[in-house]
Amino acid sequence: MTVQVAWMAPICALIGICMAGYLGSWVLKQDPGPDKMNNISLKIQQGAKAFLMSEYKLLVIFMVVVAVVMAVALSPITAIAFVTGGILSALAGYIGMHVATRANTRTAYAAEKSVAAALNVSFKSGLTMGLSVASFALLGLSLWLILLVFGVDSFDLMHEHVGMVEGFATGASAVALFARVGGGIYTKAADVGADLVGKVEAGIPEDDPRNPATIADNVGDNVGDVAGMGADLFESYTGAILAPTILATTFAALGYFGAFGSIDATWAIVVPVLIAGCGIITSIIGLLAVRTKEGAELHKALNRGTYLAAIIEVVAILVIFIMWNNQTVDAQPIWLFGSVLCGLVAGLLIGKTTEYFCSDSYKPVHQIAEASETGPGTNVIQGLSTGMLSTIIPILLVAFAIIGAYTFGNMAFPNVDDMGGIAVGLFGVALAATGMLSNTAITIGVDAYGPVADNAGGIAEMAGLPEEVRERTDELDSVGNTTAAIAKGFAIASAGLSAISLFVSYQATMHHAIPEFELTLTDPLIIAGIFIGAMIPFMFAALTMGAVSRAAHAMVAEVRRQFREIKGIMTYEAEPEYDKCIAISTSSALREMMLPGILAVVIPVVIGCFNPAMLGGFLAGAVSTGMLLAIFMSNAGGAWDNAKKYIEKGAHGGKGSEAHKAAVVGDTVGDPFKDTSGPSMNILINLMTIVSLTFSPLFILVQSLF
């Protein structure tokens, strides 16, 4: 019965893939406009493809090395699952970027008609990415679970086999980290160079064709904010589905689920993939609600689609738990619906909080814009303050979601012993993460349309289209900055909940194998691990920010050189050497992305081999500071960006004013915050947690030898 029901997940995933194919083909059939626009788009396509292929070549080497280590230290199946997760993540990112780099000129041409037409093209391009990510992730993960876990009769074997499936999540997380860091370094090096020299020094508009870095900047929007973002949500989504399944199999093997029967245990193992499957279908339905008219507020149209998908998803999840409830006798798993609801509600509220702090419709962004009147220093100070304040409500919401989800889990199975109560409570927390990211497809859709709109604005500027076209694409882009920040909020919050679930699974797995294993604050090694783990996100942020700084320095020098040496650029008599700037971003990103990614894999394995309990403290510290840094940096960067755009609309003197120049500097600081370091944090904590869990058999083996 369980296996038959589980097949609904890959079926939903295949429907999502078919829909993604339809939407992508629809976008590509739209009119791309005249040759001048197409030539610009072609340069962006070529640059993005060249970078992605170079990045994937390095990733292949990394993944082969790790897969060999896994095959020797763990099992060949774990290694194959690892490679599968990486390949599907990379494939989803490539498909999304392929469509996005062709949707940009089509969006710009549609913007000549209306903002509604431009939104239709760009959003369908974004949803192509969203459905590709969610569908490939669910298809790969559900098939591995059906093959190795769902059809197994023994809970001990389920627990052993799910450890192999953890390789899939590890592969997805590894690719995500490299894609986010590499893409983030690329895009921000180009963006900072283009802004500081072009807008501040030369006084020319953003995306002006005279700026040598403008093509690299537009390429970066795709490799960082489309391919990188897609890989980011791929791994968050995978972790959110797998975490409750791992918990269920772990606790079932330990006998904690035995108090309420095998029916409930098997349903607990299958329910997460069913919830994810429903999310793909509801995201497709949400597409129908994203429509707008000229002059209407764009974010309302996008919110309408998100909320419709969420409402239908709630109903579908309720039906799933009613089915489970009808199969059991002593328990009331219907209460676990409350756990999922806690995650969904927390996710939506975190999205609204992010919108408040990052949208130019609200006070925080207005305050940063006002602070810009007295210079870059006060702009930066106000932006840092805004980012720090923005952590309060999301962290409280995550805390309430944890408490609420745990309570509902306990209510579902009131007659179990103490350990069983803890087990079902923690299972409820894991389901909250699944609920939070259940509508990942449409969440990515409202995020990934933003870079397409940004590229469309660049093409409109470079092709010399009428001013109203650029105004329409800027309107889309401004809303896109906010929706991107909202998507990052979902990813960060769900990463925290998933990491907690995986952390508990790690603790239970180690305790099962080593009875004396215990995590207590009286152990100095654990305390040391907490402090080292708390330091890691700061080290990671320093590495990635420094990488952007070095790459941007080279970019600034190159743009200045071209303005100085190539006569006729400013008078449109000579074309800048765009390829030189593209080469700088590409080489810098590929060179700088390796160290942070390797450290994220190696450090947990080294600490775990030395002392598994110390690794437990390490993970606790990393998750805590990683979540805070992720929210702070992502929201501060989004607020700085929209403060600049708010001024460009005419506030505080408008474009070219001293306030505008100060806001450009603030946005320059915020660029690596929101697009490189900040969104990489949630991948970092997920990757380190899943690596720790995947390699736990190695840690157990090493401890047995000493």
Side-chain angles (χ1 to χ4, degrees), residues 27-28 41 44-56 89-104 125-126 128-130 132-133 183 186 218-231 444 448 451-452 455:
V27 170
L28 297 179
S41 179
I44 296 171
Q45 293 168 34
Q46 291 171 341
K49 183 178 180 180
F51 171 75
L52 216 58
M53 290 300 100
S54 299
E55 182 182 58
Y56 286 172
S89 176
L91 181 61
Y94 181 81
I95 290 172
M97 196 199 69
H98 179 84
V99 175
T101 52
R102 287 154 180 78
N104 50 22
S125 169
T128 301
M129 177 67 169
S132 297
V133 167
Y186 187 112
N218 282 280
V219 170
D221 289 335
N222 291 283
V223 299
D225 298 337
V226 178
M229 178 275 300
I444 295 176
V452 174
N455 264 206

Side-chain angles (χ1 to χ4, degrees), residues 84-161:
T84 306
I87 289 174
L88 288 178
S89 176
L91 181 61
Y94 181 81
I95 290 172
M97 196 199 69
H98 179 84
V99 175
T101 52
R102 287 154 180 78
N104 50 22
T105 184
R106 290 162 172 81
T107 299
Y109 193 63
E112 291 197 46
K113 303 174 186 175
S114 68
V115 70
L119 175 64
N120 193 29
V121 175
S122 57
F123 178 67
K124 284 182 177 176
S125 169
L127 195 57
T128 301
M129 177 67 169
L131 286 170
S132 297
V133 167
S135 301
F136 279 125
L138 182 59
L139 180 66
L141 185 57
S142 61
L143 289 177
W144 273 111
L145 289 171
I146 289 170
L147 177 66
L148 294 177
V149 179
F150 294 158
V152 178
D153 294 330
S154 165
F155 288 132
D156 285 329
L157 277 178
M158 281 186 178
H159 175 57
E160 180 183 334
H161 288 182

Side-chain angles (χ1 to χ4, degrees), residues 11 37 74 97 132 336 438 601 607 638:
I11 290 171
M37 295 170 62
L74 301 173
M97 196 199 69
S132 297
L336 284 170
S438 57
V601 175
I607 295 176

Side-chain angles (χ1 to χ4, degrees), residues 31-39 105 109 112 465:
D31 194 335
D35 288 342
K36 187 174 184 180
M37 295 170 62
N38 272 306
N39 290 335
T105 184
Y109 193 63
E112 291 197 46
L465 298 183

Side-chain angles (χ1 to χ4, degrees), residues 21 54 100 120 252 256 278 385 390 394 414 438 503 567 598:
S54 299
N120 193 29
Y256 298 159
C278 291
S385 171
S390 73
S438 57
F503 172 77
K567 306 303 180 184
I598 292 171

